Every structure is written in structure tokens, then in C-alpha cells.
Amino acid sequence: MRRWRSRTALPPLSTRNARFPLAGRSPRSSLLVLPVFAALASLVLLGGCAGVEGLQSEGRARDVDAPLVLWPEYSPAPPGRDENPVALVPVPNVPRIPSGTMADANPLAVLDADIAAQGRKPPAPKAVRRPELHDITGDGKANLIMAVDLDPRISELRVYSVRRTVVTRVLVLRGVLAGVDLAAGHLVVREPTKDPRYVSVTDYVWDGQSMSLWNITLDDARTPQTPRAGGGSP
């Protein structure tokens, strides 16, 4: 009797397991695999959401290079006496002051003698601002603070003290004086910057030997102040 073979007969078990690995596993192992596929599907969905609503790439970060020092083997010499703004320079051709206070000196005579000693012509009286007397050396005696307007923009600030009865210049600065302040014994000089919202603030203080540079910072620019009637410091 002829036996008919079905055209849809399955291949041997060994072949089926090679082509379809899950087909030959136990029901328990199949149940363990299904949650893995579910977890992978969830990660794919979450990954898609993060790509749209989460962190976004802004491209490659800019490379940051360390400063390139040119000629590192060279350094400037310290400023000379004529270049150092805080050098103590006795003013020639003015009387000594035994009292030790600049209140007993003639402000214009001191200024003219100091500038003439530098080989320059004394300024016109209208270019000289009102002299100011304040103790900035902490000895209880007045120092003389004067400013000369060299042109409509550039000015020169000079400070004088009495050192062993000798009238002595203790500070000279030239620049654009946006403001000069006194605060707790500190002399504060304000100068404009390229940004009109800010000024450069240079702070000088007497250290017992000279007017040393204390600090340099930036501060908000001020609006012009109205001069007080009758003179005096603002």
C-alpha cells in the first residue's frame, strides 16, 4: 500500500532548532525571553522621545587653547624714578614746612615748582582745579591733592605730603579722570573704559612708605554730579 507524504511536512527537529532557535526551547525559557523584547522595545520608544524633547547636541565644543607666551625669557625692568607714579620726589624751590601739614603751603607755588622741575611750563591758572586738603597718609596732617586739566579730556593728578619738613610729591597720574574719591584713607581714581556702562577703578593707599597700588576693579559708571555751591569736597 502506497503511503502519501505531505508536502507541508516539517523538517527534522534538529534542523528546526538550528533555523528557529526558540522553537526548541521549553515554555519557561520562552517566557523569559519575551520580557527582554518588551524592554528593548520600551528603550527604543524612550530613545526616540529623548531625541526630540530631551538634551540636544549643539555640535562640537570649541577647542580651548592655552595662551601662547611670546618671548617668555624677557621681562621689563622696574620703572625708573621719573616713570614710577608713586615715587617720593622732593619738590625743589619751595620753603620747608616745620608743621608737617600741607595746609601751611602755597598750593599753586608747589604745583608750579614741581612741574617746572620736570622741565615743563607751569599750567595756566584756569587749567588747575580747586586744591583739596585731606589726610591720606594717616598721620593726622593734611595732604595736598591737585588736578590739572591738560586738555578737555586728559588730566593730571598730583598728591603732595610733608616728609621731614620737605614738601614731597607722593603720587602723579595722567589719564582721563572720570572721578576721584576718598574712602577710608584710600585714594580712588576712576577712568572710563570702552564700555560706557563701566569705569576702571584704581585704588591707592599709603602703606607707611609710599602710595601703593591697592586694587584695580571695574565699577558701574556714574552720572555726572552737580557741583556743590561754595566749593569743598563732594
Side-chain angles (χ1 to χ4, degrees):
M1 182 177 180
R2 179 180 293 181
R3 295 181 180 180
W4 294 94
R5 178 177 295 179
S6 173
R7 295 183 179 180
T8 58
L10 295 176
L13 183 58
S14 58
T15 307
R16 279 185 287 161
N17 290 342
R19 296 176 58 189
F20 307 99
L22 296 180
R25 294 186 181 181
S26 64
R28 181 178 179 182
S29 62
S30 300
L31 292 177
L32 293 175
V33 173
L34 290 177
V36 175
F37 282 120
L40 291 175
S42 299
L43 290 176
V44 172
L45 292 177
L46 291 176
C49 294
V52 176
E53 300 178 359
L55 298 177
Q56 299 289 332
S57 174
E58 295 183 356
R60 179 182 176 183
R62 185 179 61 179
D63 294 334
V64 179
D65 296 329
L68 177 61
V69 180
L70 304 181
W71 311 297
E73 67 276 13
Y74 291 93
S75 60
R81 185 175 181 179
D82 295 337
E83 300 173 330
N84 189 352
V86 299
L88 302 184
V89 179
V91 180
N93 303 320
V94 294
R96 288 176 174 263
I97 303 179
S99 64
T101 173
M102 288 300 299
D104 294 337
N106 182 334
L108 291 179
V110 171
L111 178 67
D112 290 349
D114 187 25
I115 293 178
Q118 293 181 304
R120 293 166 46 193
K121 181 180 178 180
K126 64 179 181 179
V128 181
R129 301 185 190 180
R130 179 185 66 250
E132 295 282 352
L133 292 170
H134 299 278
D135 177 20
I136 60 176
T137 58
D139 59 0
K141 298 179 180 180
N143 304 113
L144 175 62
I145 306 173
M146 302 196 71
V148 181
D149 296 324
L150 304 178
D151 59 39
R153 180 171 176 81
I154 305 298
S155 302
E156 201 168 64
L157 179 69
R158 292 174 179 259
V159 181
Y160 301 94
S161 180
V162 180
R163 315 308 300 167
R164 298 179 181 178
T165 74
V166 177
V167 176
T168 305
R169 186 219 306 152
V170 298
L171 181 68
V172 58
L173 298 172
R174 177 180 292 191
V176 182
L177 301 182
V180 180
D181 303 336
L182 291 175
H186 290 225
L187 182 65
V188 182
V189 180
R190 298 172 178 269
E191 297 183 86
T193 64
K194 291 183 178 180
D195 190 332
R197 298 174 299 173
Y198 304 103
V199 292
S200 172
V201 180
T202 308
D203 189 351
Y204 293 90
V205 66
W206 182 259
D207 63 4
Q209 301 294 330
S210 64
M211 292 292 294
S212 63
L213 177 62
W214 180 265
N215 198 13
I216 299 178
T217 57
L218 289 178
D219 196 6
D220 295 333
R222 297 175 177 175
T223 56
Q225 296 180 349
T226 301
R228 295 183 180 181
S233 300

